[in-house]
Amino acid sequence: MNLSGFLFNNYKKTNNNGVVTWSSPSNIALVKYWGKKEHQIPENPSISFTLDACKTITEVTFETKTNNETFSFEVFLDEKAKPDFHPKIETFFKRIEAYLPFLKDFHFTIKTRNTFPHSSGIASSASGMSALALCLMSIEKELSDANLTEEYFIQKASFLARLGSGSACRSLEGDLVVWGHHPAIKGSSDYFGVKYPYQVHEVFKNYHDTILLVDKGEKQVSSTVGHNLMHGHPFAKQRFKQAVDNITNIKEILKTGNLEAFIALVESEALTLHAMMMTSMPYFILMKPNTLEIINKIWAFRKETGLPICFTLDAGANVHVLYPQKDSEIIYEFIKTQLVGYCQNGHYICDRIGFGAKQL
Ligand code: 2P0
């Protein structure tokens, strides 16, 4: 793909001031992204469910300024100034400046909040970076003479979000998004996420994700460090091939609604992700004892009842419990009575598959 298509060529400096607001959801990967090349290019394709309840709402006010040599912005989380967010946003602005030539012409006031608790161990980088990328695209739209198509708008927003945080490029649309080129997924790209373009079985509609908050503390190893440890990792090549094969296989599963195969693929992906962490050098473990307690309880309950409950994991100790709408009553009862006791302060979040970002 020719990236020059994402340049903002007709930009002319104006005195526009304004405010834009977007709400963008989090997402949970079924086939995981773990390992990247330079410029935020993933080593393997990934696919995720877009979430619904877990989201970030970001408002960006832009005002023209005279000095256009540096970036100028302030960030507020829940109305409180967050200078510790500045380096990440500065890096993001540097990476995307070539595509958004207006960034140094304005002072930006970025006000953001998450619907999920701040220290819940749920990464806000996916929803946060996609909400910010969408706000910046809305500003481009206001400043541009060209008539930006909806497809261009979303694709470029996803392209920008990726440069903020890889998984953020999967947080713009729903309900399933693929990121990373894969020969069997039409339109898939290493540069942005695309809506999964094929038939999806009824059973996946309204799929539930109950997030069990096992550990709400800061992770000892950030995802960026974890990704980098895949360079020279002894099992990296095989892992990247496995992810490619799993994308091929999930296509058939999504079409037929074969939940047994879905469960095997999704749980294997989660455990492989953590196996990669445990076999990195230096090695690390993000799961906690209660993560394993929950996994074992889920397996025992599934064996006993035959119900299609399964788990997946992000880069942390929290457990995402996935199950279809049709069995949700009985499975939710099991979660409340048998699993919530393993959560830190009994905290969990009821989420489900969602349909993407919204302009407010
Ligand atoms: C994913 N994760 O596919 C995988 C699975 C976590 C586990 O993408 O360095 O925050 O900002 O590109 O996207 C988390 O990594 O990393 C992640 P950067 P990101 O969702």
Side-chain angles (χ1 to χ4, degrees), residues 20-89:
V20 291
T21 309
W22 278 86
S23 142
S24 194
S26 186
N27 70 75
I28 180 70
L30 303 172
V31 175
K32 312 288 183 181
Y33 149 58
W34 199 247
K36 59 177 163 183
K37 302 176 196 160
E38 251 196 310
H39 308 301
Q40 296 285 101
I41 299 300
E43 288 277 11
N44 65 261
S46 56
I47 184 167
S48 51
F49 273 155
T50 305
L51 295 181
D52 183 46
C54 289
K55 54 194 175 201
T56 298
I57 295 117
T58 299
E59 175 196 281
V60 178
T61 305
F62 55 105
E63 294 154 282
T64 34
K65 64 180 175 73
T66 42
N67 158 3
N68 60 1
E69 269 147 41
T70 53
F71 299 121
S72 168
F73 59 86
E74 301 156 274
V75 196
F76 297 84
L77 174 68
D78 298 328
E79 313 284 322
K80 282 194 208 85
K82 289 295 276 185
D84 45 321
F85 283 11
H86 283 217
K88 190 150 191 184
I89 293 179

Side-chain angles (χ1 to χ4, degrees), residues 27 29 31-34 36 40 46 88 125 162 164-168 170 223-224 227 273 277 313-315:
N27 70 75
V31 175
K32 312 288 183 181
Y33 149 58
W34 199 247
K36 59 177 163 183
Q40 296 285 101
S46 56
K88 190 150 191 184
S125 65
R162 185 195 98 245
S165 184
S167 52
R170 296 191 312 239
S223 287
T224 303
H227 284 294
L273 168 72
M277 299 172 186
L313 305 167
D314 225 330

